[in-house]
Amino acid sequence: MSLRITTLAERPGFAAALWEMEHGWQVFMFNDPVADLFYPIADRAYADYVLVADDDAEPGRLVARACMIPYTAKDSELPDGGWDAVIRQGWLARETGVAPDSVSALEVTVRRDLLGAGVSPRMVAAMRQHAARRGFAELVAPVRPNQKHLEPHTPMEEYAFRTRADGLPYDAWLRVHVRAGGRIVKVAPRSMVVAGTLAEWREWTGLPFDRTGPVEVPGALGPVHCDVAHDHAVYVEPNVWVRHPLR
């Protein structure tokens, strides 16, 4: 596949199709309120940090997107708040006019019919190259391991550092990052928080949510905590911080 990867700023015509691409994300993933600080304004405020890709054989049809956000780090430690934290810090930097000193990947989404075609590693490489061109010394990423949902009760601290016989990470998406030059640093224990009423969770998942306790939800990396008496359920997702040195 001959991919052409540019920024959305360079090809703004992709803005309308950016979020319409066929994908494999679960519905509940679209209900983290912090995401509203990035996604509704990404095509205007962050167009230089959204990468879009199409194939020369089918120009104009989106193959993949990769989103990043520049942010101001509070210290040298990567935040336990992971994905939510960098979006908040990036939004605050933009709103207050503070120059960002760091950049974080947020996601790579590949069109569903092209999963497994080798697009993801090329998008990660493109993010690294773009961050370097923008003058950043490293790209960080709160990685969502793509096979962890098969083991929702395994602690992320155990899963994140599990390796195969060749020394590479057990998880396929973590392997992509490590092969690209990234280094697994630590777990972000509360990277994404999704809370809702039981009615909302029933709508998002099709599950009954009628018993207090942990609920296994397809696609979730860990159980969702359900509290029937208080009519709410909360999902706290851990991610894995990866540093990509660029110099």
Side-chain angles (χ1 to χ4, degrees):
M1 182 179 295
S2 180
L3 287 185
R4 180 170 55 157
I5 304 173
T6 66
T7 65
L8 184 61
E10 294 170 292
R11 288 196 285 172
F14 274 120
L18 199 59
W19 318 120
E20 302 301 323
M21 184 175 59
E22 295 177 359
H23 58 80
W25 297 109
Q26 299 290 332
V27 173
F28 72 88
M29 294 289 294
F30 295 98
N31 288 280
D32 177 355
V34 177
D36 288 342
L37 301 179
F38 177 83
Y39 287 91
I41 59 173
D43 61 338
R44 303 183 305 278
Y46 297 109
D48 282 332
Y49 291 92
V50 176
L51 303 184
V52 292
D54 63 349
D55 183 2
D56 285 346
E58 199 175 3
R61 186 183 181 194
L62 200 61
V63 165
R65 68 173 185 255
C67 298
M68 297 174 279
I69 189 167
Y71 72 101
T72 301
K74 294 181 178 179
D75 51 47
S76 61
E77 282 293 312
L78 293 169
D80 288 343
W83 196 82
D84 282 354
V86 293
I87 291 179
R88 282 195 303 268
Q89 289 167 218
W91 181 84
L92 282 170
R94 190 177 67 85
E95 285 294 301
T96 58
V98 175
D101 56 15
S102 305
V103 63
S104 176
L106 294 179
E107 61 149 298
V108 172
T109 298
V110 177
R111 207 172 69 210
R112 184 180 294 179
D113 62 312
L114 294 174
L115 291 173
V119 176
S120 293
R122 295 168 72 176
M123 296 303 288
V124 172
M127 284 196 294
R128 286 171 52 98
Q129 292 163 8
H130 186 66
R133 285 195 298 268
R134 301 290 293 188
F136 293 100
E138 71 173 0
L139 171 71
V140 299
V143 177
R144 187 176 197 267
N146 64 358
Q147 293 164 286
K148 176 65 172 68
H149 69 100
L150 301 174
E151 302 181 36
H153 295 284
T154 300
M156 186 62 91
E157 284 283 358
E158 173 187 331
Y159 184 90
F161 294 95
R162 186 189 301 170
T163 58
R164 308 187 307 182
D166 60 4
L168 288 170
Y170 167 82
D171 185 84
W173 189 217
L174 286 173
R175 278 200 303 277
V176 168
H177 281 268
V178 170
R179 281 175 170 151
R183 177 173 60 88
I184 295 173
V185 179
K186 68 173 190 176
V187 169
R190 47 177 171 76
S191 193
M192 177 183 289
V193 179
V194 180
T197 65
L198 301 188
E200 288 173 325
W201 275 99
R202 290 172 189 134
E203 179 182 353
W204 298 338
T205 66
L207 299 175
F209 276 89
D210 56 359
R211 294 185 180 181
T212 293
V215 179
E216 290 188 23
V217 171
L221 307 194
V224 176
H225 175 71
C226 174
D227 188 329
V228 172
H230 294 91
D231 187 33
H232 74 260
V234 180
Y235 173 59
V236 180
E237 176 172 295
N239 288 164
V240 181
W241 273 118
V242 175
R243 289 187 185 272
H244 285 266
L246 303 176
R247 297 174 184 168

